[in-house]
Amino acid sequence: MERAHGSGPLRKREYDEDDVRVRPGKGSRPRTRIRPAHEDAVEGFVVAVDRGRYTTLVEPGRAKGSAAKRRQQASRLVVAMKARELGRKGIVVGDRVALVGDVSGQPDTLARVVRVEPRTSMLRRSADDTDDTDGIERPVVANADQLVIVTALADPPPRPRMIDRMLVAAFDAEIDALLCLTKSDLAPPDELVALYEPLGVAHVVVRKGGALDELRERLTGRISVLVGHSGVGKSTLVNSLVPDANRAVSHVNAVTGRGRHTSTSAVALELPEGGWIIDTPGVRSFGLAHVSVETVLASFPDLVEGTVGCPKGCTHLADGCALDAWVAQGQADPARLESLRRLLSSREGAPDDPA
C-alpha cells in the first residue's frame, strides 16, 4: 500500500529493468582507417598563414572533378581551415595543398585543406641552441629552392655568425643559397665577399636607389625565401621587387644598432617576371640544434675523405682532428677547413656576433 500525501509509513520503492539506464552502444558499423580520396579537390598554393586560417592561391587550370569546379578557372585567393583528418600535420607558407568545400574565394567563405602534397624541401630552424630550450625544429617555409640571405654592409653591421647559421640551414634543406648584400653605399662588400668565397656562395650587391636587375635575374622563375635579421632592408627590397607588396619598413635603433620587427608573418608574393619570393619576419637568432655534424660536413665533399682518420665522435673542432693533417698534405684548401669549422662552431651554439 502506497503512502498517501502527508500520512502513512514510508515504503521502499521496488525497481525493475526499466529503471536501469543503459548507455547506447557504438553501433554495428565497423570503424575504418580508409579516408575519402577527395578526387574532386582543387590544388592551392599556401601564400599566408594566420591563426589557423590558410590563404591559398588557386590558379587557372588547377580545378579538377565536377563541372562546377572546372568552371571556376579564374585565379583567386581562397581562405581555408585544416580538416580534422590531418591531425597535427603542420601547414606552412609554400605548401601545395588540396582544397574541398567552398573554393569560390568569395568573402566570408571557408574551404577545407584535406591533403598536403609531398614537399620538395623544408627550411627549418630551432628556437635557439642554448641548453634551456627544447631544440625542437620549427618549419619556416616549404618547397623553396633558394634561400636569399639578406644582410646589410653597415647600419646595422654584418653578423657573419648569423650568416653562417643560415647557410647551414640551406645545406640541411638542400636548397641553393644566395647572399644579398644591401647598403653598399655605406660600406664596401669586399671583406664579406672574400669571407664566403671559399664556400662558393653566390652573391649580389645592392644599394639604396640602385638597380636590382641582377637580383631579379636570380629570382625569376624560382621560389626564393628571404631571411635576414631586422633592419637590413629586407622589406624595402620586397617592396621594390613587388611594387604592390606594401610591406612595412622601419629604421635601425641608433642606440642598440638593431632593427624593429616590421614583418610579423611569412607571406609569399608573386614576382612580375615570374616566380615567387617569400618574405619572412626579421630574426635575431637562427637555432640549428636539429642539424647534425654529418649534414654540415656533407656540404664539403673535398673534406669528407679526410675525416676517415678522425677519432670516434670527433667534432672536427678540437685537437686530434685528422682534417688538420689532410689540409697540411695539400689535399684541400685551408680556407675551406676554416669555413667548415666556422659553420660547425655556429651550429654548436657559439654566441652571435655583437650588433
Side-chain angles (χ1 to χ4, degrees):
M1 178 178 180
E2 294 187 359
R3 178 174 67 92
H5 180 70
S7 64
L10 291 174
R11 296 185 58 188
K12 187 175 180 179
R13 183 179 174 187
E14 295 180 359
Y15 290 91
D16 58 26
E17 63 272 13
D18 292 332
D19 293 307
V20 180
R21 298 184 62 183
V22 179
R23 181 177 297 177
K26 296 182 179 179
S28 58
R29 182 177 179 181
R31 296 186 65 183
T32 176
R33 292 180 177 271
I34 300 175
R35 296 289 183 260
H38 298 296
E39 295 179 352
D40 62 342
V42 174
E43 183 180 326
F45 177 67
V46 179
V47 298
V49 178
D50 182 22
R51 292 169 293 185
R53 294 294 184 266
Y54 306 94
T55 302
T56 63
L57 177 69
V58 176
E59 301 172 355
R62 297 289 185 183
K64 302 176 183 178
S66 67
K69 292 283 194 302
R70 290 194 295 270
R71 282 196 296 270
Q72 298 170 348
Q73 290 294 304
S75 221
R76 60 199 182 279
L77 291 176
V78 176
V79 178
M81 62 180 293
K82 184 171 65 174
R84 182 178 297 179
E85 62 203 64
L86 291 182
R88 291 190 172 186
K89 187 177 182 67
I91 301 173
V92 297
V93 172
D95 267 325
R96 293 281 182 182
V97 297
L99 305 169
V100 300
D102 193 334
V103 295
S104 65
Q106 296 298 316
D108 302 321
T109 60
L110 192 64
R112 282 188 303 133
V113 177
V114 294
R115 185 171 61 249
V116 178
E117 304 298 345
R119 295 158 171 163
T120 58
S121 69
M122 173 60 77
L123 179 67
R124 299 176 173 90
R125 73 181 182 99
S126 304
D128 204 344
D129 287 325
T130 54
D131 294 335
D132 59 346
T133 56
D134 52 21
I136 297 176
E137 60 189 48
R138 268 73 169 174
V140 179
V141 167
N143 298 318
D145 56 29
Q146 182 170 234
L147 174 63
V148 182
I149 303 169
V150 184
T151 188
L153 293 165
D155 190 32
R159 298 168 63 185
R161 194 171 299 282
M162 175 71 82
I163 299 173
D164 292 345
R165 290 178 172 224
M166 294 177 184
L167 283 175
V168 172
F171 295 154
D172 178 58
E174 298 183 347
I175 61 178
D176 296 333
L178 173 66
L179 193 57
C180 180
L181 307 177
T182 63
K183 305 185 183 181
S184 63
D185 50 313
L186 301 180
D190 303 346
E191 184 177 350
L192 199 60
V193 169
L195 185 62
Y196 291 97
E197 188 174 7
L199 288 170
V201 179
H203 72 276
V204 294
V205 181
V206 299
R207 60 188 301 152
K208 184 177 181 180
L212 298 177
D213 296 344
E214 184 179 0
L215 179 59
R216 290 181 190 276
E217 183 178 349
R218 290 184 177 274
L219 298 177
T220 300
R222 308 194 68 171
I223 299 179
S224 304
V225 51
L226 275 62
V227 180
H229 60 277
S230 303
V232 298
K234 185 163 54 65
S235 295
T236 301
L237 268 182
V238 171
N239 288 336
S240 299
L241 294 167
V242 186
D244 57 349
N246 297 320
R247 299 296 272 175
V249 298
S250 69
H251 301 286
V252 176
N253 188 300
V255 176
T256 64
R258 295 182 181 271
R260 179 171 60 89
H261 296 296
T262 50
S263 301
T264 58
S265 60
V267 61
L269 302 163
E270 192 168 11
L271 292 166
E273 302 83 9
W276 292 83
I277 56 173
I278 301 176
D279 186 23
T280 61
V283 294
R284 288 178 180 165
S285 67
F286 207 96
L288 299 171
H290 62 285
V291 181
S292 67
V293 173
E294 290 73 20
T295 297
V296 182
L297 186 59
S299 302
F300 293 79
D302 52 329
L303 296 175
V304 171
E305 188 177 347
T307 63
V308 174
C310 286
K312 186 176 180 179
C314 182
T315 63
H316 310 300
L317 297 173
D319 295 337
C321 176
L323 286 175
D324 291 310
W326 181 259
V327 170
Q329 295 167 8
Q331 301 288 345
D333 188 341
R336 291 279 289 170
L337 177 56
E338 181 183 351
S339 296
L340 168 65
R341 287 177 168 163
R342 197 176 70 242
L343 296 185
L344 289 175
S345 296
S346 162
R347 175 199 164 276
E348 291 286 322
D352 281 342
D353 305 280

